[in-house]
Amino acid sequence: MEQKILIVDDEESIVTLLKYNIEQAGFETEVAYNGTDALDKASSTSFDLIVLDVMLPGMDGMDVCKQLRQMQVNTPILMLTAKDDEFDKVLGLELGADDYLTKPFSPREVVARIKAILRRMVREPVEVEEKQFQIADLSIYPEQYEATIKDEPLTFTPKEFELLVYLAQNIGRVMSRDQLLSAVWNYDFAGDTRIVDVHVSHLREKIEPDTKKPVYIKTIRGLGYKMEEPK
């Protein structure tokens, strides 16, 4: 069964280019030309990934992303930004996007990013004996793709959950941002480790009693992050 990609962009020439190249790579596509239509389609139809432009008429891509995540639609999102704007990138990641590309881009790069994201979505058996991680009040069930804190269910984007599991697998070990990029994102972001910081911040908001004084995910200054058993 072909994987289905939703392409959202208001520029017909870009849509045509993306549609052709994505379909040539073996995917099925559907198109939306504005944010409202994109939100309707993404919330009512099952897609494997959404290619979402930031600049859209009416509801922009940031709002679409935000509302989809609020609706618990966790379909991976590849955000397209019109300029090399760090604010756009960080905001998109904070709202729940999984990756971003800056225009102009090559169709080959878009397809490569799509394939990389979808590869990460394939749930492979966890290469550790544990079927569950229990770290104080935090319970993580990798095979069920679930986690709870004090028995209360938590909601994560796919990338947040992968990062949480990887940190739990390496509890007590300091993991550099580059290590986390390579292991969790499986993509060379050319040193753009801000994506790691954003996702760690999201995890802390969901699992830490006090985000200003984290007890689960510690920042090791100059090195990276470490998952710990709270004392």
Side-chain angles (χ1 to χ4, degrees), residues 6-229:
L6 176 61
I7 301 169
V8 187
D9 200 301
D10 63 326
E11 295 184 51
E12 192 166 343
S13 60
I14 291 179
V15 169
T16 300
L17 182 67
L18 289 174
K19 183 176 174 65
Y20 174 79
N21 284 275
I22 292 172
E23 290 180 353
Q24 285 293 302
F27 300 101
E28 183 182 348
T29 65
E30 192 165 330
V31 172
Y33 291 93
N34 60 71
T36 302
D37 192 22
L39 185 63
D40 289 343
K41 289 184 176 182
S43 60
S44 62
T45 305
S46 179
F47 292 98
D48 293 283
L49 184 140
I50 302 169
V51 179
L52 179 62
D53 188 29
V54 171
M55 301 299 292
L56 294 169
M59 182 187 300
D60 67 22
M62 296 293 188
D63 284 334
V64 173
C65 181
K66 181 179 180 180
Q67 291 198 37
L68 286 175
R69 295 313 188 219
Q70 288 175 343
M71 296 163 66
Q72 306 301 317
V73 176
N74 289 324
T75 306
I77 294 175
L78 172 60
M79 192 80 80
L80 304 179
T81 63
K83 53 187 180 301
D84 191 10
D85 191 325
E86 180 67 19
F87 176 78
D88 279 353
K89 293 176 184 177
V90 173
L91 180 58
L93 294 170
E94 288 177 343
L95 292 176
D98 295 84
D99 198 353
Y100 58 81
L101 267 176
T102 302
K103 294 180 179 180
F105 48 74
S106 72
R108 181 179 298 178
E109 185 175 11
V110 174
V111 171
R113 293 289 184 100
I114 289 172
K115 288 181 176 178
I117 294 170
L118 292 176
R119 277 198 304 271
R120 299 193 299 259
M121 294 299 297
V122 176
R123 303 261 70 80
E124 297 179 350
V126 180
E127 294 181 2
V128 290
E129 292 184 0
E130 291 89 344
K131 301 295 183 181
Q132 169 187 350
F133 296 99
Q134 188 67 50
I135 306 171
D137 295 324
L138 176 64
S139 303
I140 307 169
Y141 307 92
E143 290 187 349
Q144 286 76 33
Y145 208 69
E146 296 174 354
T148 62
I149 191 88
K150 294 183 178 179
D151 295 324
E152 291 294 322
L154 300 168
T155 302
F156 299 101
T157 66
K159 196 52 53 214
E160 290 168 1
F161 190 78
E162 287 183 28
L163 178 59
L164 179 66
V165 170
Y166 189 75
L167 288 169
Q169 288 175 346
N170 292 278
I171 189 168
R173 296 177 57 194
V174 179
M175 309 301 295
S176 72
R177 290 172 175 83
D178 286 335
Q179 282 178 302
L180 294 172
L181 275 175
S182 176
V184 178
W185 277 263
N186 191 29
Y187 192 86
D188 181 8
F189 279 77
D192 190 357
T193 55
R194 175 62 174 161
I195 191 172
V196 175
D197 298 332
V198 169
H199 282 72
V200 167
S201 176
H202 287 175
L203 289 182
R204 284 174 169 164
E205 289 172 2
K206 296 174 181 180
I207 70 173
E208 298 286 0
D210 182 353
T211 55
K212 294 181 180 179
K213 297 178 180 178
V215 294
Y216 287 101
I217 304 176
K218 296 289 187 69
T219 300
I220 309 302
R221 189 178 297 276
L223 295 175
Y225 296 102
K226 179 173 68 170
M227 174 77 83
E228 287 187 348
E229 182 92 27

